[in-house]
Amino acid sequence: MSFFGRYLPGGRKYQGSYRSTRKPEPVHDPIPSDLGDCEKKIQERFTLSPDLVIRKFVIRQTQSPAMLVYLDSLTDNNSVNRDVLLPLQTKQTGEGRELPLSAGRMTPIDEWVKAERAVLEGDSVLFIEGWAEAQVLGTSGWPQRAIEDPQLETSLKGAHQGFVETGSHNLALLRRYLPHEELKIKEKIVGRRGHTKVYVLYIADIVNPTLLREMEERIDAIDIDAVINTGELAELVEDSSASPFPQMLMTERPDAAASQLLQGRIVVVVDRSPSVMVAPISFTSFFQSVDDYSTRWSIATFLRLLRLFAFGIAAFLPAFYIAVTSFHYEVIPFKLLLTLGESRGQVPFPPFVEAVFMEITLEMLREAGVRLPAPVGQTVGIVGGIVIGQAIVQAGLVSNIMVVVVAFTAIASFILPNYDLVAAVRLIRFCLMIAAALFGLVGIMIGIMILIAHLLALHSLGRPYFSPFGPVRFSDWKDAFMRVPLWMMNERPLGANPVQLRRQGRTRPDPEGEQT
């Protein structure tokens, strides 16, 4: 257990695990055959639930009393009336216990815990007098959002469909891309109170069984009240929580998730979350975009190298400015040095204070633009970038060169396609600025070495995070910071250690139009 959370309010020491005020569920609590006992038990379990509906009726043929229980806020009322109540009250039931229901899913259960959970998940539960079991009917119909264009991962040539907050819809989107029998889905329940459905997806004949078992063990080991979104799950299962770098890839694009599945990786879908988690992942994956595979390989390679250059600018440019203006001004060309001296002549602060002030201002403007509504956020960006920047320079608080450095840093961070990587760069930037203020370029070089050593030591689901550069795998360089033509990528990357390496055959036509 970590240090935080060992003490309760008032200084009392935490002595044990969390204890709920609710009585623990029995190992096996059967459903009573008496309808009155069922109703009494429902009333006891669902107290203070104004949306609870208990509908009593009589089945036509057998004249058996029955009771349908559901939550009005989570159930499709049209489906309940059309597919459940109307057939049972107007049609013949057939022989034995055959029910003339037209609901899409009907599952018999004999435990009370399962019935309670089905009601809480939006299904309807049918109790019949004399039956020591109940029927769970798939009539869920909670409020849902329509499938829209992804907000964080926009694409010019890719699909314009993004994941939504409904897990079943997200599974359907993935099945649309991979309609194959080897696509397997394992359902798990995480959270003592939330009972969040977590789906582990993989391609059975490609994924490494060791990695799959490791992912399942980490998810099964989670003991928490509820998992609200995918980010929480990623933090609970990642290898190193102290690292600023994301070790699990979050994506809201079904096409990107399907592509990762084909490379032998595991996709985890969390119900109620509009993004999915991909593991294991490598550092180079955060520089790749779906559009890279829809454009010419030469253009895609140029864009990836541009993102790598932008990563260096966003992380190191403010620190380099502090180092050269504080310790190594002799490396600045003479004419530029005169301009820099004239610009900094009226600034009363050292370069480090000047840079920290501008970077914090930039971070505040960025957060203000994200949190505010879109029209207001754009206005804040314009006001912050033009009015405030110009006013700060005229007031003599910062130099013109510092404004240029911050502007280049902001533009470079916007080029990076992954938001989690951008957040890590923002933190690394301040650490490098402190090192540059203390030791100059030597501090920057020490920071670079520490950064590379940290990347080499990181793992994602037990696999090397800095692959294919540490350890070196030349075969995977075809789709790292560069992209070779698709017809040359015949094997899957080794980063996920797939059991089946062959991805495609020799598909490039020769000049005469024949396959080679």
Side-chain angles (χ1 to χ4, degrees), residues 235 352 379:
E235 187 173 350
F352 175 72
T379 303

Side-chain angles (χ1 to χ4, degrees), residues 153 174 177 249 251-261 267 278 290:
E153 301 175 71
L174 288 172
Y177 282 95
L249 177 65
T251 180
E252 54 184 4
R253 299 192 60 90
D255 49 357
S259 176
Q260 299 293 343
L261 284 171
V267 172
V278 181
V290 176

Side-chain angles (χ1 to χ4, degrees), residues 118-253:
V119 173
L120 292 172
E121 291 177 353
D123 293 328
S124 301
V125 180
L126 178 64
F127 299 90
I128 303 176
E129 181 69 35
W131 290 27
E133 65 177 21
Q135 303 292 328
V136 177
L137 310 176
T139 57
S140 58
W142 54 81
Q144 300 179 20
R145 179 172 62 93
I147 297 176
E148 300 173 350
D149 198 1
Q151 298 296 319
L152 296 179
E153 301 175 71
T154 57
S155 174
L156 297 178
K157 293 186 176 182
H160 294 274
Q161 288 182 331
F163 290 118
V164 293
E165 288 78 8
T166 306
S168 58
H169 290 185
N170 295 338
L171 296 180
L173 290 173
L174 288 172
R175 283 196 179 276
R176 285 276 294 159
Y177 282 95
L178 296 173
H180 197 271
E181 66 275 6
E182 291 296 333
L183 177 61
K184 306 299 181 181
I185 303 174
K186 291 186 177 181
E187 179 181 339
K188 298 180 179 295
I189 303 296
V190 178
R192 296 187 299 266
R193 297 181 184 271
H195 298 293
T196 305
K197 291 183 179 180
V198 175
Y199 304 94
V200 180
L201 286 78
Y202 59 94
I203 300 180
D205 59 344
I206 299 178
V207 71
N208 188 291
T210 303
L211 295 179
L212 178 62
R213 184 169 54 253
E214 177 69 21
M215 174 62 78
E216 293 186 59
E217 290 176 353
R218 294 188 185 189
I219 294 177
D220 293 337
I222 296 175
D223 184 15
I224 194 172
D225 277 345
V227 173
I228 305 299
N229 53 53
T230 310
E232 293 183 6
L233 182 67
E235 187 173 350
L236 293 171
V237 301
E238 65 184 0
D239 293 68
S240 176
S241 59
S243 174
F245 290 98
Q247 295 137 59
M248 306 287 175
L249 177 65
M250 305 293 171
T251 180
E252 54 184 4
R253 299 192 60 90

Side-chain angles (χ1 to χ4, degrees), residues 104 137 144 276 287 300 382 407 422 427 449:
L137 310 176
Q144 300 179 20
V276 303
F287 294 86
I382 296 174
V422 174
L427 182 60
M449 289 188 291

Side-chain angles (χ1 to χ4, degrees), residues 332-350:
I332 305 175
F334 181 71
K335 292 184 178 180
L336 180 59
L337 183 61
L338 294 177
T339 303
L340 181 62
E342 182 181 356
S343 176
R344 286 195 43 80
Q346 299 180 352
V347 178
F349 305 111

Side-chain angles (χ1 to χ4, degrees), residues 99 186 359 404 480:
L99 298 175
K186 291 186 177 181
E359 287 296 334
V404 174

